[in-house]
Amino acid sequence: MPRLTRLTPDTAVGASRDLLAELASRHGRLGDMVSTMAHSPAVLGGYLQLSRAMGRAKLDRKVSERISIAVQTQQGCGLCLDAHISAARALGVDEDEIDRAREGTSADPAIAAIVALALQVYREPTSITDEQIDALREHGFGDRAIADVAGVVALNILTGSFNLLAGLTPGGDRDA
């Protein structure tokens, strides 16, 4: 059961009203998460900016979705996990790789290494080593892709923790 109410462009005020009106005009409908985030224009605006920025990430979307699956499995946001599994499937990630992502790994050593890094960024970033970053470079990841991992993790922390706080669960709109 949601803990916070959804807002609409008619019920929101100030900056949140403007943000929701813009989203509604572009997309036609508003999902549960953004409608609920509108209680805080700072949170909604920050989410929208980070989400747009990460849309320009260097990481391949299939890799990014596997990172998101791994992080959301740890964080426990069912709404986000379902959304990222659905996105991974739409991108052609097979079920075995989705299962591996839920376990924090991959059959591909390069993807396994970057997913492992993402989980370290999520759980204990102080444990990241120079050797680990060098190994990612040997797998072909450049500094930009490696840096993008922090953004993907941050976006997942924001959406997952917000959905858990707000009591948003699978079965409603999926805009995580």
Side-chain angles (χ1 to χ4, degrees):
M1 174 111 197
R3 295 182 185 110
L4 304 176
T5 58
R6 288 177 56 138
L7 296 176
T8 67
D10 295 330
T11 59
V13 296
S16 288
R17 180 184 58 237
D18 297 340
L19 289 168
L20 289 180
E22 178 188 338
L23 288 169
S25 71
R26 282 195 329 216
H27 301 288
R29 68 182 235 355
L30 299 170
D32 286 340
M33 186 181 72
V34 296
S35 295
T36 307
M37 273 185 178
H39 284 285
S40 170
V43 171
L44 179 56
Y47 160 72
L48 293 172
Q49 289 178 12
L50 183 56
S51 182
R52 285 182 194 127
M54 293 316 300
R56 297 183 299 274
K58 180 70 173 166
L59 279 174
D60 179 89
R61 263 299 294 291
K62 290 179 181 182
V63 173
S64 179
E65 290 301 338
R66 284 183 254 196
I67 289 170
S68 296
I69 290 167
V71 170
Q72 291 303 340
T73 297
Q74 293 293 307
Q75 186 162 270
C77 177
L79 183 62
C80 292
L81 183 59
D82 284 358
H84 290 294
I85 288 172
S86 178
R89 285 179 180 139
L91 291 168
V93 177
D94 66 42
E95 293 302 316
D96 182 55
E97 277 299 302
I98 289 171
D99 289 342
R100 288 177 189 268
R102 291 184 77 155
E103 295 170 7
T105 192
S106 171
D108 180 321
I111 295 171
I114 203 144
V115 169
L117 174 71
L119 288 173
Q120 272 184 277
V121 168
Y122 174 70
R123 289 188 290 227
E124 52 182 331
T126 59
S127 69
I128 297 167
T129 65
D130 293 343
E131 293 77 22
Q132 193 175 4
I133 300 303
D134 290 342
L136 286 168
R137 288 186 182 114
E138 288 174 19
H139 282 298
F141 293 106
D143 288 357
R144 180 175 171 186
I146 294 167
D148 283 342
V149 170
V152 172
V153 172
L155 185 57
N156 275 280
I157 291 170
L158 174 60
T159 58
S161 61
F162 181 84
N163 287 336
L164 292 166
L165 166 80
L168 301 178
T169 58
D173 291 336
R174 302 219 165 123
D175 62 359

